[in-house]
PDB file of all heavy atoms in Angstrom:
ATOM      1  N   ASP A   1      20.172   2.136  50.102  1.00 93.00           N
ATOM      2  CA  ASP A   1      20.498   1.455  51.289  1.00 93.00           C
ATOM      3  C   ASP A   1      22.038   1.359  51.561  1.00 93.00           C
ATOM      4  O   ASP A   1      22.446   1.114  52.694  1.00 93.00           O
ATOM      5  CB  ASP A   1      19.938   0.030  51.311  1.00 93.00           C
ATOM      6  CG  ASP A   1      18.413   0.032  51.521  1.00 93.00           C
ATOM      7  OD1 ASP A   1      17.833   1.100  51.741  1.00 93.00           O
ATOM      8  OD2 ASP A   1      17.776  -1.037  51.364  1.00 93.00           O
ATOM      9  N   SER A   2      22.827   1.554  50.501  1.00 94.00           N
ATOM     10  CA  SER A   2      24.275   1.467  50.627  1.00 94.00           C
ATOM     11  C   SER A   2      24.894   2.649  51.393  1.00 94.00           C
ATOM     12  O   SER A   2      26.083   2.498  51.708  1.00 94.00           O
ATOM     13  CB  SER A   2      24.843   1.344  49.175  1.00 94.00           C
ATOM     14  OG  SER A   2      24.346   0.282  48.470  1.00 94.00           O
ATOM     15  N   VAL A   3      24.176   3.723  51.636  1.00 94.00           N
ATOM     16  CA  VAL A   3      24.817   4.899  52.094  1.00 94.00           C
ATOM     17  C   VAL A   3      24.232   5.175  53.502  1.00 94.00           C
ATOM     18  O   VAL A   3      23.117   4.952  53.867  1.00 94.00           O
ATOM     19  CB  VAL A   3      24.519   6.133  51.131  1.00 94.00           C
ATOM     20  CG1 VAL A   3      23.022   6.375  51.118  1.00 94.00           C
ATOM     21  CG2 VAL A   3      25.290   7.309  51.567  1.00 94.00           C
ATOM     22  N   CYS A   4      25.174   5.735  54.350  1.00 92.00           N
ATOM     23  CA  CYS A   4      24.768   6.298  55.647  1.00 92.00           C
ATOM     24  C   CYS A   4      24.566   7.758  55.460  1.00 92.00           C
ATOM     25  O   CYS A   4      25.557   8.550  55.504  1.00 92.00           O
ATOM     26  CB  CYS A   4      25.891   6.011  56.666  1.00 92.00           C
ATOM     27  SG  CYS A   4      25.448   6.596  58.366  1.00 92.00           S
ATOM     28  N   ALA A   5      23.285   8.119  55.243  1.00 88.00           N
ATOM     29  CA  ALA A   5      22.956   9.603  55.045  1.00 88.00           C
ATOM     30  C   ALA A   5      22.295  10.079  56.270  1.00 88.00           C
ATOM     31  O   ALA A   5      21.336   9.535  56.798  1.00 88.00           O
ATOM     32  CB  ALA A   5      21.958   9.666  53.855  1.00 88.00           C
ATOM     33  N   ILE A   6      22.861  11.187  56.776  1.00 87.00           N
ATOM     34  CA  ILE A   6      22.328  11.808  57.999  1.00 87.00           C
ATOM     35  C   ILE A   6      21.205  12.785  57.629  1.00 87.00           C
ATOM     36  O   ILE A   6      21.421  13.729  56.919  1.00 87.00           O
ATOM     37  CB  ILE A   6      23.439  12.532  58.770  1.00 87.00           C
ATOM     38  CG1 ILE A   6      24.614  11.601  59.098  1.00 87.00           C
ATOM     39  CG2 ILE A   6      22.873  13.103  60.082  1.00 87.00           C
ATOM     40  CD1 ILE A   6      24.209  10.341  59.862  1.00 87.00           C
ATOM     41  N   ALA A   7      20.010  12.481  58.158  1.00 81.00           N
ATOM     42  CA  ALA A   7      18.845  13.281  57.861  1.00 81.00           C
ATOM     43  C   ALA A   7      18.845  14.612  58.590  1.00 81.00           C
ATOM     44  O   ALA A   7      19.729  14.917  59.386  1.00 81.00           O
ATOM     45  CB  ALA A   7      17.604  12.510  58.225  1.00 81.00           C
ATOM     46  N   GLU A   8      17.837  15.453  58.299  1.00 76.00           N
ATOM     47  CA  GLU A   8      17.792  16.744  58.871  1.00 76.00           C
ATOM     48  C   GLU A   8      17.643  16.729  60.384  1.00 76.00           C
ATOM     49  O   GLU A   8      18.018  17.568  61.138  1.00 76.00           O
ATOM     50  CB  GLU A   8      16.570  17.517  58.336  1.00 76.00           C
ATOM     51  CG  GLU A   8      16.519  17.519  56.762  1.00 76.00           C
ATOM     52  CD  GLU A   8      17.638  18.174  56.115  1.00 76.00           C
ATOM     53  OE1 GLU A   8      18.457  18.879  56.738  1.00 76.00           O
ATOM     54  OE2 GLU A   8      17.761  18.051  54.884  1.00 76.00           O
ATOM     55  N   ASN A   9      17.148  15.571  60.922  1.00 78.00           N
ATOM     56  CA  ASN A   9      17.042  15.457  62.362  1.00 78.00           C
ATOM     57  C   ASN A   9      18.309  14.898  63.096  1.00 78.00           C
ATOM     58  O   ASN A   9      18.289  14.639  64.263  1.00 78.00           O
ATOM     59  CB  ASN A   9      15.844  14.496  62.731  1.00 78.00           C
ATOM     60  CG  ASN A   9      16.014  13.134  62.148  1.00 78.00           C
ATOM     61  OD1 ASN A   9      17.085  12.794  61.665  1.00 78.00           O
ATOM     62  ND2 ASN A   9      15.018  12.352  62.175  1.00 78.00           N
ATOM     63  N   GLY A  10      19.370  14.759  62.269  1.00 81.00           N
ATOM     64  CA  GLY A  10      20.680  14.344  62.842  1.00 81.00           C
ATOM     65  C   GLY A  10      20.792  12.831  62.968  1.00 81.00           C
ATOM     66  O   GLY A  10      21.799  12.384  63.448  1.00 81.00           O
ATOM     67  N   ARG A  11      19.755  12.074  62.451  1.00 83.00           N
ATOM     68  CA  ARG A  11      19.857  10.608  62.532  1.00 83.00           C
ATOM     69  C   ARG A  11      20.014  10.003  61.158  1.00 83.00           C
ATOM     70  O   ARG A  11      19.526  10.608  60.142  1.00 83.00           O
ATOM     71  CB  ARG A  11      18.573  10.116  63.166  1.00 83.00           C
ATOM     72  CG  ARG A  11      18.279  10.655  64.526  1.00 83.00           C
ATOM     73  CD  ARG A  11      16.951  10.138  65.054  1.00 83.00           C
ATOM     74  NE  ARG A  11      16.570  10.766  66.369  1.00 83.00           N
ATOM     75  CZ  ARG A  11      15.463  10.528  67.039  1.00 83.00           C
ATOM     76  NH1 ARG A  11      14.567   9.628  66.502  1.00 83.00           N
ATOM     77  NH2 ARG A  11      15.335  11.078  68.189  1.00 83.00           N
ATOM     78  N   PRO A  12      20.551   8.827  61.057  1.00 84.00           N
ATOM     79  CA  PRO A  12      20.685   8.221  59.700  1.00 84.00           C
ATOM     80  C   PRO A  12      19.350   7.878  59.163  1.00 84.00           C
ATOM     81  O   PRO A  12      18.456   7.439  59.854  1.00 84.00           O
ATOM     82  CB  PRO A  12      21.547   6.910  60.000  1.00 84.00           C
ATOM     83  CG  PRO A  12      22.182   7.223  61.342  1.00 84.00           C
ATOM     84  CD  PRO A  12      21.272   8.135  62.118  1.00 84.00           C
ATOM     85  N   LEU A  13      19.185   8.122  57.834  1.00 82.00           N
ATOM     86  CA  LEU A  13      17.962   7.630  57.197  1.00 82.00           C
ATOM     87  C   LEU A  13      17.910   6.105  57.295  1.00 82.00           C
ATOM     88  O   LEU A  13      18.887   5.456  57.141  1.00 82.00           O
ATOM     89  CB  LEU A  13      17.960   8.059  55.678  1.00 82.00           C
ATOM     90  CG  LEU A  13      17.730   9.564  55.430  1.00 82.00           C
ATOM     91  CD1 LEU A  13      17.877   9.809  53.922  1.00 82.00           C
ATOM     92  CD2 LEU A  13      16.288   9.978  55.841  1.00 82.00           C
ATOM     93  N   PRO A  14      16.689   5.576  57.479  1.00 80.00           N
ATOM     94  CA  PRO A  14      16.611   4.126  57.462  1.00 80.00           C
ATOM     95  C   PRO A  14      16.763   3.468  56.121  1.00 80.00           C
ATOM     96  O   PRO A  14      16.580   4.137  55.156  1.00 80.00           O
ATOM     97  CB  PRO A  14      15.168   3.926  58.074  1.00 80.00           C
ATOM     98  CG  PRO A  14      14.430   5.113  57.488  1.00 80.00           C
ATOM     99  CD  PRO A  14      15.417   6.216  57.650  1.00 80.00           C
ATOM    100  N   MET A  15      17.128   2.214  56.051  1.00 82.00           N
ATOM    101  CA  MET A  15      17.217   1.453  54.841  1.00 82.00           C
ATOM    102  C   MET A  15      15.794   1.279  54.330  1.00 82.00           C
ATOM    103  O   MET A  15      14.984   0.535  54.982  1.00 82.00           O
ATOM    104  CB  MET A  15      17.881   0.133  55.010  1.00 82.00           C
ATOM    105  CG  MET A  15      19.341   0.231  55.398  1.00 82.00           C
ATOM    106  SD  MET A  15      20.126  -1.398  55.347  1.00 82.00           S
ATOM    107  CE  MET A  15      21.704  -1.020  56.228  1.00 82.00           C
ATOM    108  N   SER A  16      15.358   1.954  53.270  1.00 80.00           N
ATOM    109  CA  SER A  16      14.038   1.846  52.789  1.00 80.00           C
ATOM    110  C   SER A  16      13.955   2.497  51.400  1.00 80.00           C
ATOM    111  O   SER A  16      14.860   3.314  51.038  1.00 80.00           O
ATOM    112  CB  SER A  16      13.055   2.553  53.673  1.00 80.00           C
ATOM    113  OG  SER A  16      13.281   3.978  53.675  1.00 80.00           O
ATOM    114  N   CYS A  17      12.915   2.232  50.627  1.00 76.00           N
ATOM    115  CA  CYS A  17      12.638   2.838  49.367  1.00 76.00           C
ATOM    116  C   CYS A  17      12.493   4.369  49.592  1.00 76.00           C
ATOM    117  O   CYS A  17      12.915   5.161  48.709  1.00 76.00           O
ATOM    118  CB  CYS A  17      11.410   2.251  48.692  1.00 76.00           C
ATOM    119  SG  CYS A  17      10.995   3.085  47.187  1.00 76.00           S
ATOM    120  N   ALA A  18      11.907   4.800  50.662  1.00 75.00           N
ATOM    121  CA  ALA A  18      11.679   6.210  50.958  1.00 75.00           C
ATOM    122  C   ALA A  18      13.040   6.941  50.952  1.00 75.00           C
ATOM    123  O   ALA A  18      13.064   8.135  50.776  1.00 75.00           O
ATOM    124  CB  ALA A  18      10.881   6.406  52.191  1.00 75.00           C
ATOM    125  N   SER A  19      14.034   6.257  51.427  1.00 82.00           N
ATOM    126  CA  SER A  19      15.372   6.875  51.548  1.00 82.00           C
ATOM    127  C   SER A  19      16.090   6.928  50.136  1.00 82.00           C
ATOM    128  O   SER A  19      17.054   7.708  50.006  1.00 82.00           O
ATOM    129  CB  SER A  19      16.257   6.187  52.533  1.00 82.00           C
ATOM    130  OG  SER A  19      15.682   6.168  53.793  1.00 82.00           O
ATOM    131  N   ALA A  20      15.627   6.114  49.248  1.00 83.00           N
ATOM    132  CA  ALA A  20      16.312   6.043  47.899  1.00 83.00           C
ATOM    133  C   ALA A  20      16.127   7.377  47.172  1.00 83.00           C
ATOM    134  O   ALA A  20      17.051   7.824  46.505  1.00 83.00           O
ATOM    135  CB  ALA A  20      15.730   4.888  47.087  1.00 83.00           C
ATOM    136  N   GLY A  21      14.965   7.976  47.324  1.00 84.00           N
ATOM    137  CA  GLY A  21      14.674   9.255  46.670  1.00 84.00           C
ATOM    138  C   GLY A  21      15.619  10.363  46.970  1.00 84.00           C
ATOM    139  O   GLY A  21      16.354  10.906  46.170  1.00 84.00           O
ATOM    140  N   PRO A  22      15.666  10.772  48.279  1.00 87.00           N
ATOM    141  CA  PRO A  22      16.517  11.931  48.624  1.00 87.00           C
ATOM    142  C   PRO A  22      17.984  11.636  48.509  1.00 87.00           C
ATOM    143  O   PRO A  22      18.742  12.598  48.176  1.00 87.00           O
ATOM    144  CB  PRO A  22      16.146  12.171  50.141  1.00 87.00           C
ATOM    145  CG  PRO A  22      15.489  10.948  50.568  1.00 87.00           C
ATOM    146  CD  PRO A  22      14.827  10.334  49.407  1.00 87.00           C
ATOM    147  N   THR A  23      18.453  10.390  48.801  1.00 91.00           N
ATOM    148  CA  THR A  23      19.813  10.107  48.581  1.00 91.00           C
ATOM    149  C   THR A  23      20.225  10.059  47.102  1.00 91.00           C
ATOM    150  O   THR A  23      21.333  10.542  46.694  1.00 91.00           O
ATOM    151  CB  THR A  23      20.236   8.720  49.242  1.00 91.00           C
ATOM    152  OG1 THR A  23      19.417   7.709  48.705  1.00 91.00           O
ATOM    153  CG2 THR A  23      20.025   8.833  50.754  1.00 91.00           C
ATOM    154  N   SER A  24      19.301   9.656  46.251  1.00 91.00           N
ATOM    155  CA  SER A  24      19.643   9.658  44.781  1.00 91.00           C
ATOM    156  C   SER A  24      19.759  11.117  44.363  1.00 91.00           C
ATOM    157  O   SER A  24      20.663  11.474  43.596  1.00 91.00           O
ATOM    158  CB  SER A  24      18.499   8.965  44.015  1.00 91.00           C
ATOM    159  OG  SER A  24      18.405   7.569  44.360  1.00 91.00           O
ATOM    160  N   LYS A  25      18.792  11.954  44.739  1.00 91.00           N
ATOM    161  CA  LYS A  25      18.853  13.333  44.350  1.00 91.00           C
ATOM    162  C   LYS A  25      20.136  14.062  44.925  1.00 91.00           C
ATOM    163  O   LYS A  25      20.678  14.874  44.206  1.00 91.00           O
ATOM    164  CB  LYS A  25      17.615  14.091  44.894  1.00 91.00           C
ATOM    165  CG  LYS A  25      16.275  13.581  44.233  1.00 91.00           C
ATOM    166  CD  LYS A  25      15.110  14.192  44.828  1.00 91.00           C
ATOM    167  CE  LYS A  25      13.793  13.750  44.134  1.00 91.00           C
ATOM    168  NZ  LYS A  25      12.608  14.295  44.757  1.00 91.00           N
ATOM    169  N   GLY A  26      20.595  13.626  46.103  1.00 92.00           N
ATOM    170  CA  GLY A  26      21.799  14.217  46.629  1.00 92.00           C
ATOM    171  C   GLY A  26      23.003  13.837  45.813  1.00 92.00           C
ATOM    172  O   GLY A  26      23.859  14.623  45.479  1.00 92.00           O
ATOM    173  N   ALA A  27      23.045  12.570  45.445  1.00 94.00           N
ATOM    174  CA  ALA A  27      24.194  12.067  44.572  1.00 94.00           C
ATOM    175  C   ALA A  27      24.132  12.696  43.224  1.00 94.00           C
ATOM    176  O   ALA A  27      25.157  13.089  42.706  1.00 94.00           O
ATOM    177  CB  ALA A  27      24.162  10.556  44.502  1.00 94.00           C
ATOM    178  N   ILE A  28      22.937  12.756  42.624  1.00 93.00           N
ATOM    179  CA  ILE A  28      22.839  13.357  41.309  1.00 93.00           C
ATOM    180  C   ILE A  28      23.354  14.826  41.327  1.00 93.00           C
ATOM    181  O   ILE A  28      24.076  15.218  40.455  1.00 93.00           O
ATOM    182  CB  ILE A  28      21.351  13.384  40.842  1.00 93.00           C
ATOM    183  CG1 ILE A  28      20.914  11.905  40.517  1.00 93.00           C
ATOM    184  CG2 ILE A  28      21.101  14.282  39.624  1.00 93.00           C
ATOM    185  CD1 ILE A  28      19.426  11.745  40.322  1.00 93.00           C
ATOM    186  N   SER A  29      22.866  15.590  42.346  1.00 92.00           N
ATOM    187  CA  SER A  29      23.359  16.950  42.460  1.00 92.00           C
ATOM    188  C   SER A  29      24.832  17.045  42.542  1.00 92.00           C
ATOM    189  O   SER A  29      25.519  17.970  41.898  1.00 92.00           O
ATOM    190  CB  SER A  29      22.656  17.569  43.703  1.00 92.00           C
ATOM    191  OG  SER A  29      21.242  17.573  43.568  1.00 92.00           O
ATOM    192  N   GLY A  30      25.404  16.200  43.417  1.00 93.00           N
ATOM    193  CA  GLY A  30      26.877  16.254  43.613  1.00 93.00           C
ATOM    194  C   GLY A  30      27.596  15.924  42.321  1.00 93.00           C
ATOM    195  O   GLY A  30      28.649  16.602  41.971  1.00 93.00           O
ATOM    196  N   ILE A  31      27.204  14.887  41.624  1.00 94.00           N
ATOM    197  CA  ILE A  31      27.835  14.439  40.383  1.00 94.00           C
ATOM    198  C   ILE A  31      27.827  15.576  39.309  1.00 94.00           C
ATOM    199  O   ILE A  31      28.759  15.923  38.679  1.00 94.00           O
ATOM    200  CB  ILE A  31      27.258  13.226  39.862  1.00 94.00           C
ATOM    201  CG1 ILE A  31      27.633  11.999  40.765  1.00 94.00           C
ATOM    202  CG2 ILE A  31      27.784  12.867  38.442  1.00 94.00           C
ATOM    203  CD1 ILE A  31      26.870  10.717  40.496  1.00 94.00           C
ATOM    204  N   ILE A  32      26.583  16.111  39.074  1.00 93.00           N
ATOM    205  CA  ILE A  32      26.452  17.138  38.060  1.00 93.00           C
ATOM    206  C   ILE A  32      27.275  18.395  38.395  1.00 93.00           C
ATOM    207  O   ILE A  32      27.914  19.000  37.557  1.00 93.00           O
ATOM    208  CB  ILE A  32      24.953  17.513  37.911  1.00 93.00           C
ATOM    209  CG1 ILE A  32      24.166  16.328  37.236  1.00 93.00           C
ATOM    210  CG2 ILE A  32      24.759  18.777  37.028  1.00 93.00           C
ATOM    211  CD1 ILE A  32      22.743  16.576  37.071  1.00 93.00           C
ATOM    212  N   GLU A  33      27.240  18.756  39.744  1.00 91.00           N
ATOM    213  CA  GLU A  33      27.938  19.932  40.128  1.00 91.00           C
ATOM    214  C   GLU A  33      29.482  19.729  39.972  1.00 91.00           C
ATOM    215  O   GLU A  33      30.167  20.624  39.397  1.00 91.00           O
ATOM    216  CB  GLU A  33      27.683  20.260  41.611  1.00 91.00           C
ATOM    217  CG  GLU A  33      28.343  21.524  42.086  1.00 91.00           C
ATOM    218  CD  GLU A  33      27.850  21.904  43.429  1.00 91.00           C
ATOM    219  OE1 GLU A  33      26.642  21.933  43.669  1.00 91.00           O
ATOM    220  OE2 GLU A  33      28.711  22.201  44.340  1.00 91.00           O
ATOM    221  N   ASP A  34      29.977  18.598  40.319  1.00 91.00           N
ATOM    222  CA  ASP A  34      31.447  18.296  40.133  1.00 91.00           C
ATOM    223  C   ASP A  34      31.859  18.259  38.725  1.00 91.00           C
ATOM    224  O   ASP A  34      32.986  18.651  38.372  1.00 91.00           O
ATOM    225  CB  ASP A  34      31.837  17.040  40.888  1.00 91.00           C
ATOM    226  CG  ASP A  34      31.875  17.153  42.408  1.00 91.00           C
ATOM    227  OD1 ASP A  34      31.765  18.330  42.906  1.00 91.00           O
ATOM    228  OD2 ASP A  34      31.951  16.160  43.084  1.00 91.00           O
ATOM    229  N   LEU A  35      31.018  17.648  37.871  1.00 92.00           N
ATOM    230  CA  LEU A  35      31.443  17.451  36.499  1.00 92.00           C
ATOM    231  C   LEU A  35      31.174  18.591  35.538  1.00 92.00           C
ATOM    232  O   LEU A  35      31.785  18.616  34.470  1.00 92.00           O
ATOM    233  CB  LEU A  35      30.820  16.150  35.991  1.00 92.00           C
ATOM    234  CG  LEU A  35      31.122  14.826  36.782  1.00 92.00           C
ATOM    235  CD1 LEU A  35      30.466  13.592  36.050  1.00 92.00           C
ATOM    236  CD2 LEU A  35      32.679  14.645  36.934  1.00 92.00           C
ATOM    237  N   THR A  36      30.194  19.400  35.896  1.00 88.00           N
ATOM    238  CA  THR A  36      29.800  20.472  34.931  1.00 88.00           C
ATOM    239  C   THR A  36      30.021  21.830  35.548  1.00 88.00           C
ATOM    240  O   THR A  36      29.961  22.827  34.790  1.00 88.00           O
ATOM    241  CB  THR A  36      28.340  20.356  34.581  1.00 88.00           C
ATOM    242  OG1 THR A  36      27.498  20.682  35.679  1.00 88.00           O
ATOM    243  CG2 THR A  36      27.980  18.921  34.090  1.00 88.00           C
ATOM    244  N   GLY A  37      30.164  21.961  36.794  1.00 85.00           N
ATOM    245  CA  GLY A  37      30.332  23.299  37.416  1.00 85.00           C
ATOM    246  C   GLY A  37      28.995  23.958  37.745  1.00 85.00           C
ATOM    247  O   GLY A  37      28.948  25.040  38.302  1.00 85.00           O
ATOM    248  N   ARG A  38      27.918  23.333  37.402  1.00 82.00           N
ATOM    249  CA  ARG A  38      26.588  23.815  37.712  1.00 82.00           C
ATOM    250  C   ARG A  38      26.289  23.685  39.223  1.00 82.00           C
ATOM    251  O   ARG A  38      26.392  22.664  39.845  1.00 82.00           O
ATOM    252  CB  ARG A  38      25.490  23.052  36.956  1.00 82.00           C
ATOM    253  CG  ARG A  38      24.127  23.401  37.224  1.00 82.00           C
ATOM    254  CD  ARG A  38      23.103  22.413  36.585  1.00 82.00           C
ATOM    255  NE  ARG A  38      21.702  22.768  36.971  1.00 82.00           N
ATOM    256  CZ  ARG A  38      20.716  21.964  36.638  1.00 82.00           C
ATOM    257  NH1 ARG A  38      20.898  20.796  36.045  1.00 82.00           N
ATOM    258  NH2 ARG A  38      19.444  22.273  37.017  1.00 82.00           N
TER     259      ARG A  38
END
């Protein structure tokens, strides 16, 4: 809920548990890529 993530439809994802999943995966991907080069 802390993040303003723009969904594929161009609108912000709502504050909800359902938004926690994709935003978490996005952050995880970014962190691993930045820190490991993967």
Side-chain angles (χ1 to χ4, degrees):
D1 288 352
S2 303
V3 65
C4 179
I6 305 302
E8 311 298 348
N9 60 11
R11 302 176 183 178
L13 286 174
M15 294 187 192
S16 70
C17 177
S19 299
T23 56
S24 296
K25 292 176 182 178
I28 289 168
S29 300
I31 291 172
I32 292 178
E33 184 171 312
D34 282 351
L35 299 185
T36 71
R38 173 191 178 190

